[in-house]
C-alpha cells in the first residue's frame, strides 16, 4: 500500500462502492435467520457442559461467562444496541446525587482542549486507547438486528452527531495465551464488560456537559473503520484492528456525539507490509477462515462488505469453528507478532517493523524462533 494512501483513514481500503452494512448479515445473526447456518447457531447458542480437562471445567466456564456480566445485564450491545448502558439517551436513573441543574451546557471554545478532557476521562474510567474522528456515515449499519424484539430496524444517526470517539480495551496478555480454552476466553469477555461500563459512563459524562452522546459496543456501526479513522491502528490479515500498543489484543467501542472535538490523524506503522510477509494467523486458524494470499476485493459471502481491498475473513468458517468448539478461539490474536506485552525489547521491534520494512521477513522468523504465540497451560494460570 502506498504510504500517501495510508493517511486517508479507513478510506484507504475502499476501492468500490462501500454500501452501508446490514447488521443481520453478521455471522452471529445469520446463524439465527439463515437456514444453512441455523444448525451451527443451535450448537453455538445451546447449553454446553463442563468437561474433565483443563480449560473446560466448571470454574473455567464460570470465569469466561462472568466476564460478560456487565455487557449482558446492563448494556446488551450484542443484542442490537440502544439499551441500558448503550442507550442513546440518558436512561432513567433511580438514584443520583448529581446536583447541577440538567439544562446547563458547557461552552466549548477550544475543541482541542475538550478532546484532551474526553481522553483523560475515558482513560480514568477504564479505556486503554482513545481516538477521535469525524463520523463517516458509511460505517454506520444500514439496519440493526433487534434480537430481543425480533425486529430488523433501519438506523439513522441525526445530522448533529458530527464526531465519533473510538475506544479500545486491552485484553489480558496472559489470558489470550490460554486460547483456545474457556479460561482464555475470559480475556475477551471481561474486556466486553469493562467496555460497557466505560463507554456508558463516558457517554453520560458528555450528557452532563449538556451535549448528546450515542454509546455503542458492537452494535449500530462497524467499530474497525471508525477506530482506523480515529488513529488507533490499521487493518490486518485477520480482518481486525492492529494497534501500535497492544497489536490485535483489543476490543472496541465507540460514541457518536455533537460535542465539538478535534479529530486525530489516522496512522500507518507497517501492518499492511508486515501482513504481506507473515501468515502466522492463517497457519494456526483451526477454522481455515484466514486467507494466505494477497489482499482482494472479492468477498467470501455476505458477511463481508463489498468494495474494499483487504484480506476478507471467512466469517462463516470462523463462526463454524466457534460453534463446534464452544466459542473460545483467539488463536489468531495469540500468535500475531504485534501481540506483545510492553517492554523495551518489544518497543524496539515495533520501531524496527515501522522503519525497516525490508526486515519484515526476518522479524517473522525471529518471532517464531523465540517461541512467541505458543499457547500456555491453564494449570499454570490457576496455580500461579
Ligand atoms: S478466532 Fe479462531 S477460528 Fe476465528 S479466525 Fe481467529 S483463529 Fe480462526
Ligand atoms: S499474524 Fe502476521 S499476518 Fe496475521 S495479522 Fe498478525 S502480522 Fe498480520
Amino acid at each position: 500500500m502506498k504510504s500517501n494512501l495510508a493517511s486517508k483513514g479507513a478510506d484507504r481500503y475502499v476501492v468500490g462502492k462501500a454500501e452501508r452494512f446490514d447488521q443481520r448479515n453478521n455471522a452471529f445473526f445469520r446463524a439465527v435467520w439463515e437456514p444453512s447456518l441455523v444448525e451451527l447457531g443451535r450448537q453455538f447458542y445451546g447449553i454446553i457442559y463442563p468437561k474433565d480437562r483443563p480449560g473446560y471445567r466448571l470454574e473455567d466456564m464460570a470465569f469466561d461467562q462472568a466476564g460478560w456480566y456487565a455487557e449482558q445485564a446492563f448494556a446488551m450491545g450484542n443484542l442490537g444496541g440502544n439499551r441500558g448502558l448503550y442507550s442513546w439517551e440518558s436512561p432513567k436513573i433511580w438514584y443520583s446525587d448529581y446536583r447541577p441543574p440538567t439544562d446547563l451546557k458547557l461552552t466549548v471554545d477550544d475543541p482541542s482542549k475538550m478532546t484532551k478532557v474526553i481522553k483523560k476521562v475515558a482513560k480514568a474510567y477504564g479505556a486503554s486507547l482513545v481516538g477521535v474522528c469525524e463520523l463517516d456515515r458509511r460505517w454506520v449499519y444500514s439496519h440493526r438486528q433487534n434480537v430481543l424484539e425480533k425486529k430488523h430496524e433501519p438506523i439513522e444517526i441525526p445530522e448533529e452527531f458530527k464526531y465519533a470517539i473510538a475506544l479500545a480495551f486491552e485484553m489480558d496478555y496472559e489470558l489470550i495465551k490460554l486460547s483456545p480454552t474457556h479460561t482464555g476466553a475470559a480475556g475477551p469477555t471481561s474486556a466486553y464488560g469493562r467496555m460497557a461500563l466505560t463507554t456508558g459512563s463516558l457517554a453520560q459524562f458528555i450528557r452532563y456537559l449538556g451535549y448528546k452522546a450515542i454509546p455503542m459496543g458492537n452494535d449500530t456501526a462497524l467499530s474497525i473503520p471508525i477506530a482506523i479513522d480515529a488513529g488507533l491502528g490499521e487493518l490486518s490479515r485477520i480482518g481486525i484492528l492492529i494497534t501500535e500498543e497492544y497489536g490485535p489484543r483489543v476490543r472496541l467501542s465507540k460514541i457518536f456525539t455533537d460535542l465539538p472535538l478535534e479529530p486525530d490523524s489516522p496512522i500507518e506503522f507497517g501492518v499492511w507490509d508486515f501482513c504481506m510477509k507473515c501468515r502466522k494467523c492463517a497457519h494456526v486458524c483451526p477454522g481455515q477462515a484466514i486467507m494466505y494470499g494477497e489482499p482482494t476485493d472479492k468477498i467470501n459471502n455476505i458477511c463481508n462488505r463489498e468494495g474494499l481491498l483487504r484480506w476478507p475473513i471467512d466469517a462463516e468458517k470462523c463462526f463454524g469453528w466457534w460453534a463446534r468448539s464452544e466459542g473460545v478461539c483467539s488463536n489468531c490474536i495469540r500468535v500475531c507478532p504485534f501481540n506483545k506485552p510492553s517492554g523495551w525489547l518489544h518497543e524496539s521491534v515495533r520501531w524496527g517493523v515501522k522503519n525497516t520494512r525490508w526486515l519484515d521477513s526476518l522479524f517473522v522468523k525471529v518471532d517464531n524462533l523465540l517461541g512467541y504465540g505458543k499457547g500456555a497451560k491453564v494449570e499454570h494460570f490457576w496455580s500461579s
Side-chain angles (χ1 to χ4, degrees):
M1 176 171 292
K2 294 192 185 87
S3 52
N4 61 336
L5 290 180
S7 62
K8 286 169 67 183
D11 193 50
R12 72 187 80 167
Y13 307 105
V14 177
V15 291
K17 196 164 184 325
E19 302 279 1
R20 285 167 63 189
F21 187 73
D22 186 335
Q23 193 191 18
R24 81 196 291 260
N25 292 340
N26 175 311
F28 293 98
F29 296 104
R30 283 180 66 205
V32 177
W33 63 263
E34 189 166 311
S36 65
L37 296 180
V38 161
E39 186 44 44
L40 284 176
R42 269 194 212 107
Q43 282 179 54
F44 183 76
Y45 294 113
I47 292 177
I48 46 176
Y49 290 91
K51 295 171 187 59
D52 188 20
R53 63 182 162 110
Y56 292 82
R57 299 197 167 102
L58 184 58
E59 61 269 35
D60 302 298
M61 294 180 75
F63 185 40
D64 169 0
Q65 284 302 303
W68 281 112
Y69 182 57
E71 149 64 28
Q72 290 178 329
F74 306 114
M76 295 154 281
N78 288 349
L79 300 183
N82 197 6
R83 281 198 185 82
L85 290 165
Y86 290 147
S87 293
W88 288 21
E89 289 176 5
S90 181
K92 183 167 180 57
I93 297 174
W94 295 99
Y95 141 77
S96 169
D97 57 7
Y98 184 68
R99 301 288 169 78
T102 47
D103 56 353
L104 294 181
K105 186 165 188 169
L106 188 78
T107 303
V108 179
D109 297 321
D110 186 343
S112 158
K113 252 194 199 161
M114 194 66 239
T115 304
K116 281 193 185 129
V117 169
I118 286 294
K119 290 184 177 181
K120 189 147 274 223
V121 173
K123 290 197 172 175
Y125 285 169
S128 308
L129 301 170
V130 194
V132 169
C133 61
E134 283 182 19
L135 174 59
D136 184 333
R137 285 155 200 272
R138 287 175 299 174
W139 315 138
V140 177
Y141 291 139
S142 65
H143 294 75
R144 79 166 83 250
Q145 195 66 16
N146 182 336
V147 176
L148 290 181
E149 292 167 32
K150 294 192 172 51
K151 283 188 195 155
H152 181 230
E153 302 164 329
I155 298 182
E156 286 310 327
I157 304 293
E159 272 309 305
E160 64 263 34
F161 289 86
K162 288 197 168 20
Y163 301 99
I165 302 165
L167 307 163
F169 296 83
E170 181 189 9
M171 297 186 281
D172 186 88
Y173 180 74
E174 298 303 324
L175 290 177
I176 291 295
K177 271 173 39 183
L178 300 173
S179 167
T181 61
H182 283 286
T183 334
T189 61
S190 59
Y192 273 109
R194 278 181 282 126
M195 183 167 117
L197 290 170
T198 300
T199 309
S201 302
L202 184 62
Q204 198 65 0
F205 172 72
I206 293 170
R207 293 178 190 127
Y208 284 156
L209 299 180
Y211 292 86
K212 294 179 180 163
I214 298 179
M216 66 204 83
N218 289 347
D219 56 287
T220 309
L222 294 158
S223 299
I224 296 168
I226 290 172
I228 294 170
D229 284 347
L232 295 192
E234 288 186 64
L235 194 58
S236 66
R237 185 181 285 278
I238 312 173
I240 60 176
L241 186 80
I242 294 213
T243 64
E244 276 196 280
E245 295 81 354
Y246 310 105
R249 195 167 36 85
V250 291
R251 239 60 195 185
L252 302 170
S253 67
K254 56 272 183 201
I255 297 174
F256 298 161
T257 184
D258 60 344
L259 178 69
L261 295 170
E262 183 178 68
D264 288 292
S265 299
I267 57 172
E268 196 274 330
F269 56 101
V271 172
W272 183 271
D273 293 341
F274 198 89
C275 285
M276 287 290 219
K277 307 265 170 54
C278 168
R279 294 167 186 83
K280 283 186 84 169
C281 50
H283 289 313
V284 299
C285 174
Q288 300 176 335
I290 301 172
M291 60 179 285
Y292 280 90
E294 303 260 312
T296 175
D297 61 353
K298 303 270 180 309
I299 62 169
N300 293 301
N301 47 61
I302 59 168
C303 291
N304 298 132
R305 283 181 62 153
E306 306 226 34
L308 302 176
L309 181 70
R310 43 61 163 118
W311 293 275
I313 188 94
D314 191 330
E316 283 183 12
K317 290 185 177 170
C318 175
F319 182 81
W321 178 255
W322 275 34
R324 292 189 294 277
S325 63
E326 305 187 7
V328 294
C329 184
S330 296
N331 287 4
C332 45
I333 296 174
R334 190 191 80 210
V335 302
C336 179
F338 286 100
N339 166 32
K340 295 282 188 301
S342 305
W344 68 267
L345 176 62
H346 300 132
E347 301 310 324
S348 319
V349 172
R350 280 184 195 126
W351 185 92
V353 167
K354 188 171 180 176
N355 295 290
T356 57
R357 302 201 180 173
W358 50 279
L359 286 176
D360 283 352
S361 300
L362 179 69
F363 284 130
V364 178
K365 280 188 188 138
V366 171
D367 202 74
N368 287 333
L369 276 174
L370 293 179
Y372 281 116
K374 285 215 169 105
K377 292 230 178 288
V378 167
E379 299 92 314
H380 291 171
F381 172 79
W382 285 121
S383 63
S384 61

